[in-house]
Amino acid sequence: MSKPSFVYVTYIRTTAEKLWQALVNPEANRQYWFGAHQESDWKKGAPWKIVFADGRIADTGEIVDIDPLRRIVIKWRNEIMPELKAEGYTRCTITLEPQGALVKLTIMHEAEREGRHKMIDAVQSGWPLILASLKSLLETGQALEGTDRLPEE
Amino acid sequence: MDAVFKALADPTRRQLLDNLHARNGQTLGALCEEMNMTRQAVSKHLAILEEANLVVTFRRGREKEHYLNPAPIFEIADRWIDKFERGKLRALTDLKKNLERDEE
């Protein structure tokens, strides 16, 4: 029996260096991550968080493992929605693999236990837009329209 | 993109994707059982889905796990959906889901 998980694999016409910068640089994050950015020293064991443009803390966690230009593993918990926060931590593994002129980017976001997991349901609708926008930013210089801020209610 | 449409044109392969959507990360054995098909037949369909990047696999110990990859479908949808319509479409899908849930 497998744990609830979300996987997204996309191929981006860029270099591992540029993709890595776009992933860890707050200025780059803001352009495609709904105006939010991540804060971390990007070292093993370092705290990690996502901060919305208005200063609210969306998610918190820790860098479980990091291999520059190749892989980041994040222990990840939502902080905004009480029902998601109550579910505890999830684990997100981000992997970069250069393949010729492309870089294969894999996101594996999984629950740490079996059974229905609302946080995994939630990331299913968030990740595709963020990652499609990241791809667009790196390939065309422009993120997808509307992904530089939170969608209006 | 041709590979994606070709892969999606078959009902058995769509069923495989539905099964992975319901339970991600299944082994070939588990999928065969659910589909009530031979390993050979399921492997053949999975290979076409992998070719189209609709299914990706990870090795975990001795097992190979199969995962649904929504990226190709999302990227195709994005090509024809206008930036302004994206939010509205999502709101409509949410509304549809909520209404259908209420009916149950």
Side-chain angles (χ1 to χ4, degrees), chain A residues 59-71:
Chain A
D59 306 83
T60 61
E62 185 187 307
I63 305 297
V64 177
D65 201 10
I66 187 159
D67 183 359
L69 304 185
R70 289 199 184 96
R71 186 165 166 265

Side-chain angles (χ1 to χ4, degrees), chain A residues 2 5 7 9-10 110 129 145, chain B residues 24 67 69-71 75 84 90:
Chain A
S2 52
S5 53
V7 170
V9 179
T10 186
E110 51 196 331
L129 256 184
E145 209 170 316
Chain B
N24 223 355
Y67 291 84
N69 180 23
E75 284 161 10
F84 294 107
R90 189 189 286 182

Side-chain angles (χ1 to χ4, degrees), chain A residues 86-100:
Chain A
E87 290 180 327
Y89 285 99
T90 57
R91 172 184 283 250
C92 182
T93 304
I94 302 169
T95 313
L96 292 70
E97 295 166 83
Q99 294 190 356

Side-chain angles (χ1 to χ4, degrees), chain A residues 133-147:
Chain A
S133 188
L134 165 64
K135 177 179 164 78
S136 173
L137 178 65
L138 288 166
E139 291 184 345
T140 71
Q142 291 252 289
L144 294 184
E145 209 170 316
T147 59

